[in-house]
Structure formats: C-alpha cells, structure tokens
Amino acid sequence: MGKLFSIGEVLIDFIPHQKGIALKDVESFTRVPGGAPANVAAAVAKLGGTASLITKVGQDAFGDFLLEQLEEIGVRTDKIIRTKEANTGLAFVSLREDGERDFSFYRNPSADLLLEDTEIDGDWFQRGDILHFGSVDLVESPMKGAHVKAIQAAKWQGGMISFDPNVRLPIWDDPQHCRKTILEFIPMAHLVKISDDELEFITGITSQEQAIASLFTGDVKAVVLTKGAKGADLFVQDEVYRSAGYSVAVEDTTGAGDAFTGGFLYQLLDLDTGQHNLEATLSEHHEQLLAFANASGALATTGKGAISALPVKTEVLGLMKKTTGS
Ligand code: ADP
C-alpha cells in the first residue's frame, strides 16, 4: 500500500469558550491542532494508512504540542522541520451572533511558510504514493516554492497529486489573488476536491456543469464535488457518479471536508491507485469510494474539533452497514 504525503500548514486553532460574541470580547480559548493538510494526514493515519506531513513548525511549545498530537494519532513527523526563525502558526476564530466569522491569524510569517524548496527531497516519494495539498500555504512565501518542488518530485516518481483548494479568504490580501493562485495550481493535480460553496468563486462560472468542466485542465483526471449533508459527486471522464450523504447527529462540521478527503485518499492508496490507473479505479470503485468518504466526513461532524473527531475504519464501515441495512 502506498503512502500519503500531505504538505502545508499545521497550526493551533484557538476555539473560544464563549460562543456568539466578537473575537475582541472572548476571554478564554481551548487549543486544538488544525490546518487542513494536517487533518487529512491525521484522517488517513487514523483509518490505518501511512501518512506523513511535510511542513515546518517553530522551536516553541506550540510546535512541541502539534508534534505530540500528530504522533499520538499515528502521523509520521520525520518530515517536519523545526525552526527558530518564526513561531508556529496560530489562528483565533470566533463565530459572532450574526453568523459572521471573526478571524485573527498569527502567521506573519508563521514557521510553516518558511519551508524551502531545497528542504524537499525528491527521493521521499515512490510510485503508488499520493501527495495532497491545499491553498492556505500557497500565499507568496518559500512554502509556495516548496509545494511546486514536492509536486514535481512526486509526479516524477509516478505519484498521484491531490488538491483541495479549501478557500480561506481572510489570509489573502485580495480575493482575486487567492483565486488566481488556485487556478495556477489546479492543472498540476490529478484529483481535485472542491466544495459546492466555493465552485463558482474559483471558476467564475455560474453553471455547475460548465464550472466542473472548466476544472479539467492540465493533468486533472477527476473532480470530487462535496455538498455538505447532501453527499458528494464524482466526475471522471464523461461520467458523473452521485452519492447521498449519511444522516448523523451533527455537533461540529469543522474538518468534515478533510475527513472526507482522508477517507477517499485512504481507499485510493488501498486500491494501489496511481496516475496511470486513476480513472479506471474511480470508474470501477466509485460507489464504495464515495460511500466510505461520505461516512468518514459524516462521522467527523458528530464530535467537536477536526482531528479529535476523526473516525477509525470500523466506525466508518459500521455507519455504511447500518445505513444500507446489509
Ligand atoms: P468542506 O468541509 O470542505 O466545506 P463539505 O461541507 O462539503 O466540505 O463536507 C464534506 C463531506 O463531509 C460531505 O461531502 C459529506 O460527506 C460530509 N458532511 C459534511 N457535512 C455533513 C453533515 N451535516 N451531515 C452528514 N455529512 C456531512
């Protein structure tokens, strides 16, 4: 079975104890590990796969905490570099009463953004491995170059590239810069996961069908469109495979998309999927792939936080069995 490599941010999310107030009025917080690429690596590790995170954290207490948490869940941390040049990234997010999110990011720059392309070793990757990335660490920084190097190296070795744009506008100086950067990286991926609420922003196209079609550029062979509680659709060649979501008691939807992606990629690794057989594998196993990923995403919404709510494989299979009644 191949390995998952996830490159990008790992950071501390500070979750307010008081809900529904402006960030400036929050008095106390709980710290939890966050960062989409870290969540995806954690999802794959928790399901029983081999997952490594490629990033940098500060030589500080928060870096120690993140490494401990990742190791506890089984993520390999040997490709995480420590630095004294910057602190570990922090994010404070409060949901105000009017539904607006109030953000404060401490990444000017944070340690993850300082990973250099020279710190990526092409020999890490092998045929059968998957490299996954997002857009939060594609802001202008050494880390953007590290992504390009890792993508090229993984591809050169025959690995598959997975991209979840995961739009986070508050970290960009200008929304168009975010959009342009995402469009620059989409053609480098074989598999693109996008959620329905960001499709129009990224493509600039209102019609869903045309928007999806526009994503098939460069190396893109398949697109997964996630639709929250409504499940997900998989587009490959001229086919679309639709799947319903699972009905669960939702507690917190943070990280559902990452749990979905982790579930999807875990199975692709299990099925020995590479660039050469991606389309064939997706067409043959679409039902199982989508059901497993939907169950993984759904279960992640039943607990608080992203990493702490990730399911193990028996829980995913249990939900799939219970719902189909088989
Ligand atoms: P993102 O978190 O990236 O915005 P979505 O909100 O589309 O992505 O969620 C990703 C996947 O997680 C969905 O396709 C679905 O399988 C699962 N999911 C998300 N929200 C729910 C929910 N309320 N109930 C059941 N499953 C959910």
Side-chain angles (χ1 to χ4, degrees):
M1 186 168 164
K3 303 178 289 298
L4 176 85
F5 290 90
S6 205
I7 181 167
E9 74 283 7
V10 60
L11 47 86
I12 311 247
D13 274 326
F14 282 90
I15 316 281
H17 283 154
Q18 302 105 310
K19 302 254 173 292
I21 57 174
L23 190 53
K24 73 175 176 56
D25 297 319
V26 177
E27 287 177 357
S28 59
F29 301 85
T30 298
R31 72 185 183 345
V32 296
N39 294 342
V40 172
V44 168
K46 190 124 185 227
L47 289 168
T50 305
S52 284
L53 185 65
I54 304 173
T55 193
K56 215 172 235 195
V57 294
Q59 196 71 261
D60 53 26
F62 291 129
D64 292 344
F65 170 69
L66 288 174
L67 285 184
E68 249 176 53
Q69 294 284 306
L70 290 168
E71 278 161 15
E72 200 169 293
I73 209 162
V75 174
R76 294 191 179 179
T77 57
D78 56 315
K79 289 165 187 64
I80 302 180
I81 297 174
R82 308 294 299 263
T83 181
K84 286 190 174 131
E85 284 173 54
N87 290 116
T88 302
L90 310 178
F92 297 78
V93 183
S94 174
L95 195 58
R96 294 195 321 224
E97 209 154 6
D98 59 8
E100 285 299 303
R101 277 176 191 272
D102 229 358
F103 292 91
S104 209
F105 291 102
Y106 285 70
R107 40 181 265 144
N108 313 309
S110 47
D112 51 317
L113 293 172
L114 298 186
L115 190 74
E116 308 257 353
D117 58 359
T118 50
E119 291 169 315
I120 305 290
D121 181 350
D123 290 340
W124 291 341
F125 311 103
Q126 289 178 332
R127 193 182 170 86
D129 293 342
I130 297 178
L131 176 73
H132 175 77
F133 70 103
S135 72
V136 165
D137 267 8
L138 296 179
V139 293
E140 290 310 320
S141 65
M143 185 50 139
K144 185 179 178 185
H147 274 67
V148 174
K149 168 92 182 283
I151 292 166
Q152 284 170 349
K155 254 188 213 179
W156 174 253
Q157 304 285 6
M160 205 191 83
I161 313 298
S162 155
F163 181 28
D164 174 0
N166 216 345
V167 175
R168 291 289 177 269
L169 287 182
I171 59 150
W172 294 86
D173 48 4
D174 167 6
Q176 287 315 314
H177 189 193
C178 167
R179 190 171 163 255
K180 208 176 126 262
T181 306
I182 289 171
L183 291 174
E184 179 189 331
F185 277 77
I186 282 175
M188 300 182 204
H190 300 111
L191 176 69
V192 175
K193 181 266 184 215
I194 197 160
S195 65
D196 52 359
D197 52 8
E198 56 192 22
L199 183 63
E200 187 176 342
F201 167 75
I202 291 172
T203 62
I205 302 172
T206 317
S207 145
Q208 193 182 92
E209 200 185 331
Q210 286 171 20
I212 294 284
S214 77
L215 296 173
F216 283 84
T217 57
D219 283 341
V220 177
K221 291 193 161 88
V223 174
V224 183
L225 179 73
T226 58
K227 306 185 294 185
K230 295 200 289 292
D233 300 337
L234 168 65
F235 299 82
V236 46
Q237 289 170 332
D238 291 331
E239 296 290 334
V240 47
Y241 303 105
R242 300 191 191 277
S243 65
Y246 290 92
S247 183
V248 290
V250 177
E251 164 102 27
D252 172 10
T253 57
T254 313
D258 301 329
F260 177 97
T261 302
F264 203 84
L265 298 181
Y266 166 76
Q267 290 179 97
L268 288 182
L269 291 168
D270 200 31
L271 291 165
D272 284 329
T273 317
Q275 299 169 14
H276 58 294
N277 65 349
L278 175 62
E279 287 162 307
T281 305
L282 293 174
S283 300
E284 190 183 341
H285 298 280
H286 61 89
E287 211 172 314
Q288 168 80 13
L289 281 161
L290 288 169
F292 189 97
N294 275 323
S296 174
L299 286 166
T301 70
T302 61
K304 273 204 170 66
I307 287 186
S308 54
L310 290 168
V312 294
K313 194 170 173 181
T314 49
E315 291 170 319
V316 175
L317 297 175
L319 179 62
M320 290 165 69
K321 212 166 159 187
K322 199 162 81 193
T323 312
T324 59
S326 58

